[in-house]
Amino acid sequence: IDHLNNDRSDNHIENLREANTQTNTYNQVLRSNNVSGIKGVSWNNDRQKWAVRVNHNKKTYQRYVQDLELAELVAIEMRSKLHGEFANHGVRV
């Protein structure tokens, strides 16, 4: 079972949907140690670019972009395409 709003204490039927283990992981929120403030986006020192990473079916999809705003758009597009209705774009810090 997956909680649409990520609140495990909110068990209203309209907040629940069937999910397997993999699709449930797609609906995770932004990690607290994320310095970019954007889910799936981190700075790559070697390339001096933002790295966008999205996992799907045990594979990591990755792109590098120069601009943080573009990185956010790329991350949203990748998650939407790969995760469908389970895409969760996190909360911008």
Side-chain angles (χ1 to χ4, degrees):
I1 296 294
D2 181 43
H3 292 81
L4 292 169
N5 67 2
N6 292 303
D7 181 355
R8 292 181 182 180
S9 67
D10 183 355
N11 291 317
H12 292 95
I13 193 71
E14 61 273 2
N15 186 47
L16 303 175
R17 64 180 164 188
E18 188 175 335
N20 62 35
T21 302
Q22 183 178 14
T23 54
N24 200 339
T25 64
Y26 298 158
N27 196 18
Q28 293 177 349
V29 294
L30 184 67
R31 291 182 176 198
S32 62
N33 66 347
N34 182 307
V35 294
S36 73
I38 302 167
K39 184 177 175 183
V41 176
S42 60
W43 181 252
N44 183 287
N45 280 325
D46 293 338
R47 295 184 185 230
Q48 292 295 297
K49 293 184 178 183
W50 292 100
V52 179
R53 292 184 190 90
V54 176
N55 296 316
H56 180 67
N57 288 336
K58 298 181 182 179
K59 182 175 179 183
T60 299
Y61 295 84
Q62 182 169 284
R63 284 192 52 197
Y64 294 97
V65 296
Q66 196 69 34
D67 181 67
L68 182 58
E69 289 179 4
L70 178 59
E72 181 175 30
L73 293 174
V74 169
I76 290 169
E77 182 179 333
M78 288 172 67
R79 277 191 301 273
S80 294
K81 181 179 179 183
L82 295 169
H83 299 169
E85 69 175 296
F86 288 90
N88 181 314
H89 304 297
V91 177
R92 190 157 191 166
V93 176

